[in-house]
Amino acid sequence: MSALREVLMRKDGRTRRRAFRGSAVRAGSASARAAPAGLLVAALLLAALPSPSYAGAQPTIPDQLYRYGYSLGFHPFTSPHDVRGQLTDNFWLFPVSGDCPAVIRPADECELLGGNPVRVEAIGYDSLQIATLPGHDLGEGLHIRFTFARSLGLHCLVVSAWQNRPTRCTEGTLCSAASRAGAWALWRVLSETLTMSAYAA
């Protein structure tokens, strides 16, 4: 009997030790599963914050020609107003500034590179808007707005263009496609310039 009791006690102890080890393994597995879950929650919280795509930065315009977004990099101590001010106070940063003054003001009229006349329609806290005048290669009555925004220290530039009425270029399939592609490349150059200059803003 005593031998049987001893065997049973050994079995009982072994079972307990196994159960304890199994619990530890299960706890470790739960911790391992909790880590990715925590990362997922953090990612969802970040995704819920305002994004640099600025869905509400500009109104929806029926005759919009294009709307492009560009990253300006990480500038946590620079405001969108600072970046806009740097552009309008140093307009030579504009890739086709042409004969326009270095400091532009609302209602200014000047010629961009290639003899394309424009008027400065508005300068806001974080935006600049220009319009094409008669004689512009793309036609008269095109409006282009440059809006700057920041989210979590990341700056973005959104460029939107729309028109009062179709022009000879925007009505032509090839000219319209070429102008949109050219605009995307041109404003990308502007965004890359501002990405660097924003450090001094």
Side-chain angles (χ1 to χ4, degrees):
M1 286 292 292
S2 59
L4 179 59
R5 188 179 298 115
E6 186 177 345
V7 170
L8 290 174
M9 287 176 65
R10 284 179 184 170
K11 285 185 178 179
D12 185 50
R14 192 180 303 122
T15 302
R16 285 176 185 165
R17 282 195 298 274
R18 284 177 181 167
F20 178 77
R21 287 175 188 154
S23 300
V25 170
R26 283 193 296 273
S29 300
S31 303
R33 285 193 301 271
L39 291 175
L40 178 61
V41 170
L44 290 173
L45 287 174
L46 287 174
L49 292 171
S51 76
S53 60
Y54 334 107
Q58 308 202 37
T60 301
I61 302 165
D63 49 359
Q64 193 169 65
L65 298 173
Y66 60 78
R67 179 183 171 94
Y68 300 135
Y70 305 88
S71 171
L72 300 183
F74 185 66
H75 303 285
F77 306 110
T78 304
S79 72
H81 172 71
D82 294 332
V83 181
R84 192 280 301 155
Q86 189 175 56
L87 175 61
T88 54
D89 294 345
N90 304 277
F91 199 62
W92 50 267
L93 293 170
F94 202 71
V96 287
S97 54
D99 293 330
C100 292
V103 179
I104 59 171
R105 299 284 182 258
D108 279 355
E109 293 187 5
C110 60
E111 287 191 351
L112 299 179
L113 193 65
N116 291 298
V118 296
R119 181 178 64 253
V120 179
E121 286 194 298
I123 296 177
Y125 180 82
D126 58 1
S127 64
L128 162 67
Q129 184 170 312
I130 62 176
T132 61
L133 296 175
H136 195 285
D137 287 345
L138 298 178
E140 177 188 3
L142 271 67
H143 308 269
I144 307 172
R145 181 182 297 164
F146 305 85
T147 303
F148 302 92
R150 181 182 68 181
S151 178
L152 301 176
L154 291 170
H155 283 254
C156 283
L157 165 65
V158 172
V159 186
S160 294
W162 66 97
Q163 57 190 357
N164 293 339
R165 67 181 79 77
T167 66
R168 181 175 54 81
C169 179
T170 59
E171 282 185 321
T173 304
L174 288 178
C175 185
S176 179
S179 67
R180 286 197 302 270
W184 182 88
L186 183 64
W187 308 141
R188 183 180 177 88
V189 171
L190 174 62
S191 71
E192 290 173 351
T193 301
L194 294 176
T195 296
M196 300 306 298
S197 64
Y199 287 105

